[in-house]
Amino acid sequence: MAEITAAIVKELREKTGAGMMDCKKALAETDGNLEAAVDWLRTKGLAAAAKKASRVAAEGLVAVKTEGTRAAVVEVNSETDFVARNDKFQKFVADVAGVVLSVGTDVEAIKAATYPGTSKTVADVLTDNVATIGENQSIRRAAVVEVPEGYVAHYIHNAVADGMGKIAVLVGLKSAAGEEALAGLGKQLAMHIAAANPASLNTAELDPELVEREKQVQIEKARESGKPDEIIMKMIEGRMRKYYEEVVLLEQVFVMDGESKVKDVIAKAAKDAGTAIELTGYVRMELGQGIEKKEEDFAAEVAAVAGR
């Protein structure tokens, strides 16, 4: 049997918010498998389904650049939030977003591209910035949304300057309707996505592994009710519909009115515009998402320094 260390118990507690003894029991029941232990706690009602895996922490900015029916978003990281307020850093991030529109989303291709207004590469300017500002910086990722006709809307949450902040959302609306008819809808959809953080555009694009994992959790929870199998299967169907409504964009309840589904909001807008409107895709990029920043124990650090 795998060793249940204090570190893995701590990590499970941070993931789920469950108590220490429950976490120890979950790990014992799952032979130390962290993800299986998360699911075990959920089947027992001891962890929230949507609990974030860990505290996400990284500094820098995400920035958006639009051009006709295309828009790009890029994330550039720094060590401290102080740098994110630096004018030189902000200009660099904005310029790199423009480069993404020209060369695409591959980070190496972005760094190899010529930096606007210079003969240097983006990588060269990045190196200069690190030396000038005195803090490590990196281009982490980029994305582009485009439509053959229609409008690409964007929204910046926690904006620190024009077109850049902590969360950026792009929404592609394919339609023969003009920008005037699509801009308001696109902005509201982008704001919804920023708040609701959907896992996919529709049920077909949802990760099959996520679906199966959720289904197994719900099956185990339903079986604990002791009801007959035919009743359990109906329970599962209802719970999975609810799951889709929580994580699939088109099935979610629109945060702006708290009643309509997103797909119905788009259908109504299309009816009002007198032409079809299709939400073809979206990007939600949150600063530092998926990056774990080491949490320093300040007291221990001071004690270590004092003991030298």
Side-chain angles (χ1 to χ4, degrees), residues 229-277:
D229 285 348
E230 60 270 21
I231 301 298
I232 286 176
M233 292 314 296
K234 289 182 180 179
M235 291 170 64
I236 298 306
E237 288 176 10
R239 290 178 181 182
M240 290 306 293
R241 279 196 300 271
K242 187 174 186 301
Y243 172 68
Y244 293 140
E245 290 171 0
E246 291 173 351
V247 302
V248 174
L249 175 56
L250 293 177
E251 304 298 326
Q252 288 178 329
V253 174
F254 195 41
V255 296
M256 298 301 173
D257 66 15
E259 298 177 358
S260 311
K261 286 192 176 183
V262 168
K263 62 183 180 183
D264 295 330
V265 171
I266 297 170
K268 183 180 183 304
K271 184 178 179 180
D272 293 343
T275 187
I277 299 175

Side-chain angles (χ1 to χ4, degrees), residues 22 56 111 120 291:
D22 289 328
V56 175
K111 291 194 290 187
K120 295 182 177 182
I291 298 176

Side-chain angles (χ1 to χ4, degrees), residues 168-307:
V169 179
L170 303 179
V171 175
L173 296 174
K174 178 184 176 184
S175 178
E179 179 179 330
E180 185 176 342
L182 299 173
L185 173 65
K187 179 69 174 291
Q188 288 197 331
L189 289 171
M191 293 174 73
H192 169 95
I193 292 166
N197 193 13
S200 70
L201 173 62
N202 51 48
T203 54
E205 294 180 11
L206 196 58
D207 185 344
E209 289 187 10
L210 283 178
V211 174
E212 183 58 29
R213 181 174 168 181
E214 181 65 24
K215 189 174 183 179
Q216 290 305 314
V217 167
Q218 296 303 337
I219 287 173
E220 291 301 318
K221 290 176 75 171
R223 281 177 177 165
E224 290 182 1
S225 70
K227 290 183 171 62
D229 285 348
E230 60 270 21
I231 301 298
I232 286 176
M233 292 314 296
K234 289 182 180 179
M235 291 170 64
I236 298 306
E237 288 176 10
R239 290 178 181 182
M240 290 306 293
R241 279 196 300 271
K242 187 174 186 301
Y243 172 68
Y244 293 140
E245 290 171 0
E246 291 173 351
V247 302
V248 174
L249 175 56
L250 293 177
E251 304 298 326
Q252 288 178 329
V253 174
F254 195 41
V255 296
M256 298 301 173
D257 66 15
E259 298 177 358
S260 311
K261 286 192 176 183
V262 168
K263 62 183 180 183
D264 295 330
V265 171
I266 297 170
K268 183 180 183 304
K271 184 178 179 180
D272 293 343
T275 187
I277 299 175
E278 179 188 357
L279 200 171
T280 58
Y282 73 92
V283 171
R284 181 187 187 278
M285 190 173 289
E286 182 172 352
L287 178 67
Q289 188 173 23
I291 298 176
E292 290 188 22
K293 186 176 180 181
K294 183 179 178 182
E295 295 183 24
E296 303 291 348
D297 185 335
F298 186 66
E301 183 179 330
V302 171
V305 171

Side-chain angles (χ1 to χ4, degrees), residues 43-239:
T43 63
K44 304 300 180 185
L46 299 171
K51 182 72 177 179
K52 289 185 177 180
S54 61
R55 178 187 170 192
V56 175
E59 305 303 336
L61 289 169
V62 290
V64 166
K65 180 74 172 179
T66 60
E67 184 181 87
T69 55
R70 304 175 70 237
V73 58
V74 67
E75 176 181 358
V76 182
N77 296 128
S78 60
E79 291 182 50
T80 66
D81 184 58
F82 178 77
V83 169
R85 299 192 296 271
N86 180 286
D87 289 343
K88 186 180 183 70
F89 180 76
Q90 290 180 2
K91 182 180 184 306
F92 176 78
V93 178
D95 286 342
V96 172
V99 171
V100 174
L101 278 176
S102 300
V103 305
T105 61
D106 181 78
V107 171
E108 293 306 313
I110 294 167
K111 291 194 290 187
T114 301
Y115 188 82
T118 75
S119 58
K120 295 182 177 182
T121 66
V122 171
D124 290 337
V125 176
L126 179 62
T127 300
D128 292 344
N129 284 356
V130 172
T132 303
I133 298 174
E135 187 171 306
N136 190 33
Q137 300 153 48
S138 64
I139 300 168
R140 184 184 177 211
R141 54 182 173 160
V144 171
V145 171
E146 58 184 307
V147 291
E149 64 172 348
Y151 183 69
V152 178
H154 73 274
Y155 169 68
I156 301 291
H157 187 66
N158 288 337
V160 300
D162 186 34
M164 63 185 71
K166 302 297 185 182
I167 299 176
V169 179
L170 303 179
V171 175
L173 296 174
K174 178 184 176 184
S175 178
E179 179 179 330
E180 185 176 342
L182 299 173
L185 173 65
K187 179 69 174 291
Q188 288 197 331
L189 289 171
M191 293 174 73
H192 169 95
I193 292 166
N197 193 13
S200 70
L201 173 62
N202 51 48
T203 54
E205 294 180 11
L206 196 58
D207 185 344
E209 289 187 10
L210 283 178
V211 174
E212 183 58 29
R213 181 174 168 181
E214 181 65 24
K215 189 174 183 179
Q216 290 305 314
V217 167
Q218 296 303 337
I219 287 173
E220 291 301 318
K221 290 176 75 171
R223 281 177 177 165
E224 290 182 1
S225 70
K227 290 183 171 62
D229 285 348
E230 60 270 21
I231 301 298
I232 286 176
M233 292 314 296
K234 289 182 180 179
M235 291 170 64
I236 298 306
E237 288 176 10
R239 290 178 181 182

